[in-house]
Amino acid sequence: GEDGDAAKQKKRQLRLEMTQELVAAMPDLKAEDLEVGQIVKGISRQPMTFGQIVSLGKGLRGLLPFIEATDNGWMKKPFRAGLEREFRVLAKTTALGADFPVLLTARSGDLTRPPSMFEDMLFASPQELVGTEQDLSAFAGIAPETWLEATVVNTAVPRGPRPARVVVTLTAPGGSKQIAQGIPEKALLPDLSKGPIVFGSKLKV
């Protein structure tokens, strides 16, 4: 009802104000102050389709791709806004735009990732997955029973009616055209849906 909606809105507003106060008290960091592999404290902000914004300082934000949020690559729900926790600096990059110069990970283990990671993540951004038609003409002649190799570039958390899904890129035969697609978690083979799944994993679709 209206009372319940109003209470939820008030709760969100209070959480937003609390988060803003926490960020205002953070040190004034810059991306050049950080090193790859460094452990940093961050405050979770709003989630996006492909990752979560994390404040690292008053004017510095990082991006935590959902595939980097857990050791098995699947995140069922974003971190709560205002939650402070530790991350590691995965990379410093301009590939994701000036707003997100730092890429973060919560995974343990080695930090080596394929060189194409940043460009592939940018290509498979929500604009490519939601509300934007992709040119599928290069795939028109492929028979339905034909299996194609897909490359995992991210995972996405459930949002509304949209289930958890793995985000992949597909290249048409001959390498003429690449598209991005979100495959629902339940459509994957059981061993893949349980993880671990990492950037660069190959799937047959």
Side-chain angles (χ1 to χ4, degrees):
E2 292 184 5
D3 291 343
D5 292 341
K8 289 180 181 178
Q9 181 61 35
K10 184 176 181 180
K11 186 176 181 179
R12 282 195 293 265
Q13 184 61 34
L14 288 173
R15 184 174 293 167
L16 175 62
E17 293 174 0
M18 179 197 72
T19 302
Q20 290 173 336
E21 290 177 3
L22 290 172
V23 173
M26 296 183 83
D28 191 13
L29 280 179
K30 293 181 172 55
E32 49 265 34
D33 298 327
L34 303 177
E35 299 291 336
V36 172
Q38 181 177 340
I39 297 174
V40 292
K41 284 188 176 182
I43 295 175
S44 301
R45 305 298 295 271
Q46 68 269 33
M48 305 174 78
T49 301
F50 57 98
Q52 184 145 18
I53 298 172
V54 177
S55 285
L56 301 173
K58 289 180 182 178
L60 179 62
R61 298 188 302 174
L63 181 67
L64 174 72
F66 285 129
I67 199 169
E68 293 290 338
T70 66
D71 274 336
N72 76 351
W74 290 104
M75 193 177 192
K76 298 305 181 185
K77 60 187 299 185
F79 293 124
R80 176 176 55 81
L83 179 69
E84 184 179 50
R85 61 161 295 162
E86 289 185 339
F87 303 93
R88 288 192 297 164
V89 177
L90 179 61
K92 296 192 290 184
T93 178
T94 58
L96 298 178
D99 288 340
F100 305 111
V102 180
L103 206 61
L104 301 169
T105 185
R107 281 184 181 267
S108 58
D110 185 50
L111 292 174
T112 304
R113 302 291 186 271
S116 64
M117 180 173 191
F118 314 120
E119 289 77 11
D120 287 348
M121 280 186 57
L122 186 62
F123 171 77
S125 67
Q127 289 75 18
E128 293 290 347
L129 297 173
V130 182
T132 300
E133 291 188 6
Q134 300 186 77
D135 181 5
L136 304 179
S137 58
F139 296 82
I142 301 175
E145 63 271 16
T146 301
W147 288 88
L148 299 176
E149 185 175 78
T151 301
V152 174
V153 296
N154 210 342
T155 52
V157 297
R159 296 191 70 173
R162 297 176 65 85
R165 53 204 189 282
V166 60
V167 182
V168 301
T169 56
L170 287 165
T171 302
S176 57
K177 182 64 179 178
Q178 189 182 50
I179 60 170
Q181 293 288 308
I183 303 175
E185 179 183 7
K186 291 182 179 179
L188 298 174
L189 296 173
D191 58 329
L192 293 174
S193 63
K194 292 177 183 177
I197 194 165
V198 299
F199 181 91
S201 295
K202 302 297 184 182
L203 306 178
K204 292 291 185 180
V205 297

